[in-house]
Every structure is written in structure tokens, then in C-alpha cells.
Amino acid sequence: MTYDRLVCANCAAPVSEGRCPVCRASRERLQQESPWSGLNPTALIVLAAVLIAAVALLAHQTA
Ligand SMILES: [Zn+2]
């Protein structure tokens, strides 16, 4: 998290203090943006599909 170093363009106070609506909006947006938040839903679905396919392939080969 680096948002505590950000300075608001609207009120020139640290965004982490949330002094104005612009601060609070930026803070909420930045708190939601982690490296995993954008990746997780789709990446997990793809990973699960790949795993299921691999297991099915292995089961088919060994059976
Ligand atoms: Zn502000």
C-alpha cells in the first residue's frame, strides 16, 4: 500500500486522511487495488479449469 504517501489534488492533504470526498474516493479505490484483486477471480477460474483438465487427462491415461 502506497496510498498513504499520495497527496490529494483537490485539498492538498494526504489522501490517507480522507479530508474531502476526492480523498475518500481515491482511498477506497486504492485500497481495493491490490495485485491479487484484479487477478484472483479470473486466474482462479482458469487455474481450476487447467487442473480439472489435467486430472481428467491423467485419469483417462491411467484408466
Ligand atoms: Zn482531498
Side-chain angles (χ1 to χ4, degrees):
M1 286 304 171
T2 52
Y3 72 90
D4 44 294
R5 285 189 209 158
L6 268 164
V7 172
C8 177
N10 191 45
C11 67
V15 166
S16 58
E17 289 182 18
R19 288 190 189 181
C20 76
V22 176
C23 289
R24 287 191 286 273
S26 319
R27 192 175 53 175
E28 275 183 31
R29 200 187 62 227
L30 287 162
Q31 278 176 339
Q32 286 167 2
E33 276 179 17
S34 73
W36 296 103
S37 67
L39 181 74
N40 257 351
T42 37
L44 280 177
I45 288 165
V46 169
L47 199 69
V50 168
L51 278 173
I52 288 164
V55 167
L57 200 70
L58 279 171
H60 183 72
Q61 281 178 347
T62 50

